[in-house]
Amino acid sequence: MDSHQLLYLLYGGNEVYRQEARFSILTALREQRIPGSFTISVMTDEPQAFDGWPVNVIPLTTAMLADWKGANGYTHRRKACAIAAGVKLADKTIFVDTDTVFFKDPATLFERINDHQYLMDQFEWTWREAAKRPVYQRFAADLVARGKAPADTLKLYNSGICGITRANTGLMDAVIALIDEWADHGSTLHTIEQIAVSFMMGDSKVVTARDCVNHYYAKKRYHHAMNKGFFETYGEQYRSDLPQLSATVPVFFPGPGLVARTLAKVRLLSVAKPLRPAAKMIIYGQAISPPDYLEAHCRHALWNRAIELMQQKNATPLAIEQVINVCVPTARQPEFKALLAQRTAL
């Protein structure tokens, strides 16, 4: 059995998530300072996707995935089941959501875990704060009615990173039981899984990982664009130089510099106020400076978001044309209009 392992879960056959997982693995290997300081395991229903990759593949069957989803059909129950199964394979396990990149050695995170201390992605809010959020209110009221509300001071964590020891395997079994107890809320509160983890950790010592990783769940579209550009350029078959090549992709989606942001504010004054958020995205799409091979991918990610924002505002063709004339250089207007035509056709 391995001493320390990073654990991933990938299923469903979606290319976007497969690229997430592969790129995350590359960043972990890139940052690893001592070979063999940890291993990487991937639980997946497409084991062939990792042929030649330096990972331990744990095949998942359709029946197993159905069982992990449970009788109530809560998708993220599978994550809890994967951790419960995976934690038995090593002294210390860190589960990693695929939409995560490392910018420091994962080995340092294993140093933070022991039988009396857990590792999570980041602290989000206390129960007192969460219970006031609209999406939590029905769930919170139900817990109060059943006499099972936690202390106001309970800390809720994002579980994009979840590190525990083999000795604490029972924690995840209890999490799964809690998920099933809260089955009625899984369809409206999608974070039931990570709430259950926080509940079961209770007052235990918890440390966080955000000084070592970027869990980019809120900026997926932009990182997906960079992942796609990377693999289109270098291919998805593993080779020894891929981890170091992954360093050419920014850890955080690149933003424009101070001068570009200041100039954008001036240009936005001539755009109708409801369309300014979209116009800003269009301008920023030309002001960022990723590596050359990612430039178009990053620009198009921002421009596609801008088009979505204009569509949400029901912008007229004339209003959109005015935004284009203000925000897009003449030479690039055909490029933008081609994207617009694609989005309009969807």
Side-chain angles (χ1 to χ4, degrees):
M1 292 186 178
D2 295 317
S3 176
H4 299 161
Q5 72 166 341
L6 297 179
L7 177 66
Y8 290 85
L9 172 64
L10 175 69
Y11 61 89
N14 189 311
E15 179 187 47
V16 167
Y17 299 128
R18 187 164 58 247
Q19 289 183 346
E20 276 190 356
R22 284 172 167 165
F23 193 80
S24 180
I25 289 166
L26 290 177
T27 66
L29 292 171
R30 181 189 74 219
E31 297 300 327
Q32 187 177 40
R33 295 295 173 258
I34 301 175
S37 57
F38 58 85
T39 58
I40 300 174
S41 298
V42 182
M43 292 182 167
T44 180
D45 61 350
E46 46 183 329
Q48 70 285 350
F50 293 93
D51 286 346
W53 282 69
V55 301
N56 303 318
V57 176
I58 303 170
L60 300 178
T61 64
T62 301
M64 186 181 298
L65 286 168
D67 180 61
W68 282 5
K69 193 172 183 180
N72 299 296
Y74 175 60
T75 297
H76 300 304
R77 186 181 187 274
R78 289 169 170 158
K79 175 177 170 179
C81 290
I83 299 173
V87 74
K88 300 172 184 176
L89 304 177
D91 294 335
K92 296 180 180 181
T93 294
I94 297 176
F95 182 89
V96 185
D97 275 358
T98 56
D99 55 348
T100 304
V101 292
F102 290 89
F103 54 86
K104 290 184 181 178
D105 188 351
T108 65
L109 295 178
F110 287 103
E111 296 172 1
R112 302 176 189 182
I113 306 167
N114 58 53
D115 291 348
H116 307 287
Q117 182 165 285
Y118 302 110
L119 174 74
M120 296 289 275
D121 179 26
Q122 68 173 352
F123 167 71
E124 292 193 327
W125 38 68
T126 64
W127 179 252
R128 179 190 295 111
E129 295 166 329
K132 295 176 182 177
R133 298 171 64 87
V135 71
Y136 275 80
Q137 287 178 355
R138 187 173 75 88
F139 174 59
D142 183 43
L143 292 184
V144 170
R146 294 192 288 125
K148 294 189 175 183
D152 283 348
T153 54
L154 177 76
K155 292 184 176 180
L156 299 182
Y157 295 88
N158 186 296
S159 63
I161 293 285
C162 183
I164 63 177
T165 64
R166 193 198 328 262
N168 285 313
T169 301
L171 174 87
M172 296 311 300
D173 295 329
V175 166
I176 294 166
L178 204 51
I179 289 171
D180 291 341
E181 181 182 330
W182 295 342
D184 291 345
H185 298 282
S187 62
T188 55
L189 188 55
H190 302 306
T191 55
I192 281 292
E193 166 267 325
Q194 66 183 26
I195 297 169
V197 173
S198 295
F199 267 55
M200 294 315 304
M201 288 180 174
D203 294 329
S204 300
K205 178 68 174 177
V206 179
V207 292
T208 58
R210 271 303 173 94
D211 60 325
C212 296
V213 304
N214 175 22
H215 180 203
Y216 56 80
Y217 61 91
K219 295 185 179 294
K220 274 181 174 284
R221 70 169 66 231
Y222 309 120
H223 285 268
H224 287 172
M226 294 195 296
N227 292 346
K228 183 177 177 64
F230 176 82
F231 287 116
E232 282 182 354
T233 302
Y234 296 111
E236 298 193 40
Q237 182 62 44
Y238 184 80
R239 59 180 200 262
S240 60
D241 61 341
L242 273 191
Q244 197 53 48
L245 286 169
S246 73
T248 61
V249 178
V251 171
F252 298 90
F253 189 77
L258 177 60
V259 172
R261 294 199 305 272
T262 301
L263 292 174
K265 288 181 180 179
V266 175
R267 292 169 69 185
L268 289 173
L269 293 176
S270 58
V271 176
K273 193 170 184 179
L275 298 182
R276 285 180 187 173
K280 183 168 73 172
M281 288 283 185
I282 295 172
I283 296 170
Y284 282 7
Q286 301 155 99
I288 56 177
S289 300
D292 290 344
Y293 76 93
L294 294 180
E295 183 182 0
H297 291 83
C298 292
R299 182 166 62 252
H300 289 181
L302 289 166
W303 281 4
N304 276 319
R305 178 56 179 157
I307 292 166
E308 286 181 10
L309 291 173
M310 289 192 289
Q311 289 172 336
Q312 288 171 10
K313 294 295 183 180
N314 296 314
T316 65
L318 177 60
I320 293 174
E321 185 69 28
Q322 290 173 337
V323 170
I324 293 172
N325 289 333
V326 170
C327 300
V328 185
T330 302
R332 281 211 167 126
Q333 288 187 11
E335 180 185 354
F336 185 90
K337 290 179 179 179
L339 280 182
L340 177 62
Q342 291 173 14
R343 297 293 308 182
T344 304
L346 293 178

